[in-house]
């Protein structure tokens, strides 16, 4: 449980450093995943895990890469609070996918959670009207869909396939994103590189390793509840060190979604 707390706290600094890097979103996602892939690769080599290939590993790679691009894009086009909380709507999309694709039964309790999250998302879009944040909010929702698909896919993998999917997801993101550093809007300097290394190693690489280790002794429900530390702290860091304050409607929508996920 302590590992999951550390994991969530490290995840929560992502929004701040994405805001601080004056690059386009695709380049940030690519560079961040490059350093994260190196971190995961070192861990896999140290623990003598081999890279595995399978249908689920391939799907994990696609979903994880889509998640990274949408999340970084959302952080650039809307507030960090909107981006991270909308991403945390993923448990509800897991329920929806499980019902419509895998024909799994859902309870009245599940239905209430779905309704609450959808209501929270609607409130977020009320906040974005006239502010130019609609596209960012859409990317935030899509990142939640990718996260839901990723969790379902990872749940069907075993052993070394889990870390293989993560490694290949980072690698694909890096391969697509790094060429965008050549665009003229990327000021590559010591500060931006330092921030990207923090994102890749400390904010993304190490937390994924901690999550893998924590999953051996920390059950899924406590892990899920502990991870909600991230959407709570993320906007706090951005507000303190970047000065970005979410709107009242966004705060209301965030409270609804976090309550619904915790309720689930």
């Amino acid at each position: 449980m302590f590992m999951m707390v550390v994991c969530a706290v490290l995840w929560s600094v992502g929004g701040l450093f994405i805001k601080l890097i004056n690059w386009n979103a695709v380049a940030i996602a690519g560079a961040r995943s490059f350093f994260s892939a190196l971190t995961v690769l070192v861990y896999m080599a140290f623990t003598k895990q081999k890279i595995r290939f399978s249908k689920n590993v391939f799907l994990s790679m696609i979903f994880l890469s889509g998640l990274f691009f949408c999340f970084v894009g959302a952080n650039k086009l809307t507030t960090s609070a909107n981006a991270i909380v909308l991403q945390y709507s993923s448990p509800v999309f897991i329920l929806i996918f499980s019902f419509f694709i895998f024909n799994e039964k859902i309870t009245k309790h599940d239905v209430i959670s779905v309704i609450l999250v959808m209501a929270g998302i609607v409130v977020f879009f009320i906040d974005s009207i006239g502010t130019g944040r609609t596209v960012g909010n859409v990317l935030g929702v899509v990142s939640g869909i990718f996260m839901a698909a990723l969790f379902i896919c990872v749940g069907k993998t075993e052993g070394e396939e889990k870390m293989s999917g993560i490694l290949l997801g980072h690698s694909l993101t890096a391969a697509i994103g790094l060429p965008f550093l050549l665009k003229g809007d990327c000021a590559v300097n010591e500060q931006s590189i330092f921030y990207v290394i923090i994102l890749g190693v400390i904010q993304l690489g190490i937390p994924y390793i901690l999550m893998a280790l924590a999953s051996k002794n920390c059950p899924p429900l406590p892990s899920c509840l502990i991870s909600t530390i991230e959407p709570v702290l993320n906007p706090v860091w951005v507000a303190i060190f970047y000065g970005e304050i979410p709107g009242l409607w966004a705060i209301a929508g965030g409270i609804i979604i976090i309550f619904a996920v915790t309720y689930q």
Side-chain angles (χ1 to χ4, degrees):
M1 292 180 72
F2 176 74
M3 285 184 179
M4 276 305 304
V5 170
V6 175
C7 178
V9 172
L10 293 179
W11 273 338
S12 72
V13 303
L16 172 63
F17 284 98
I18 290 172
K19 293 287 186 183
L20 292 175
I21 300 172
N22 191 25
W23 296 355
N24 63 74
V26 180
I28 293 175
R32 180 178 76 153
S33 282
F34 172 77
F35 289 106
S36 186
L38 291 178
T39 305
V40 173
L41 187 61
V42 169
Y43 169 75
M44 291 182 68
F46 183 77
T47 55
K48 298 180 180 180
Q49 295 187 47
K50 296 180 180 179
I51 300 176
R52 302 294 184 183
F53 297 94
S54 68
K55 177 183 176 181
N56 285 328
V57 169
F58 176 77
L59 289 175
S60 296
M61 175 185 72
I62 299 298
F63 295 146
L64 190 63
S65 184
L67 167 62
F68 289 152
F69 283 121
C70 288
F71 177 68
V72 176
N75 268 276
K76 284 295 186 182
L77 296 174
T78 187
T79 66
S80 289
N82 290 23
I84 189 61
V85 175
L86 287 171
Q87 185 188 78
Y88 266 77
S89 63
S90 58
V92 168
F93 290 113
I94 291 176
L95 290 175
I96 294 173
F97 292 155
S98 298
F99 179 74
F100 287 103
I101 298 177
F102 301 105
N103 297 316
E104 295 181 5
K105 294 182 179 180
I106 60 174
T107 65
K108 291 182 179 179
H109 183 91
D110 297 331
V111 172
I112 292 173
S113 294
V114 171
I115 292 173
L116 285 174
V117 168
M118 292 305 173
I121 291 175
V122 169
V123 172
F124 265 103
F125 280 93
I126 291 175
D127 184 68
S128 68
I129 294 174
T131 63
R133 294 173 176 170
T134 302
V135 174
N137 286 347
V138 169
L139 287 176
V141 174
V142 175
S143 73
I145 294 173
F146 273 123
M147 178 176 277
L150 176 66
F151 279 138
I152 291 174
C153 190
V154 169
K156 297 180 181 297
T157 61
E158 297 180 0
E160 295 175 343
E161 285 189 346
K162 295 181 185 293
M163 293 306 296
S164 295
I166 292 172
L167 174 63
L168 294 178
H170 285 307
S171 300
L172 176 62
T173 306
I176 295 173
L178 285 177
F180 282 80
L181 281 170
L182 300 177
K183 292 186 64 177
D185 60 347
C186 294
V188 180
N189 50 47
E190 291 181 358
Q191 184 182 66
S192 59
I193 293 174
F194 176 66
Y195 288 161
V196 164
I197 292 175
I198 290 177
L199 281 173
V201 177
I202 297 177
Q203 188 265 331
L204 208 59
I206 293 175
Y208 268 107
I209 294 170
L210 288 175
M211 183 177 69
L213 294 173
S215 64
K216 297 178 181 179
N217 296 299
C218 187
L221 181 57
S223 294
C224 180
L225 294 177
I226 292 171
S227 69
T228 57
I229 293 173
E230 182 188 4
V232 173
L233 288 182
N234 184 301
V236 173
W237 304 138
V238 176
I240 292 174
F241 297 104
Y242 191 75
E244 179 184 82
I245 308 296
L248 292 178
W249 282 107
I251 293 174
I255 292 173
I256 293 172
I257 290 177
I258 292 175
F259 171 78
V261 171
T262 305
Y263 174 76
Q264 175 59 36

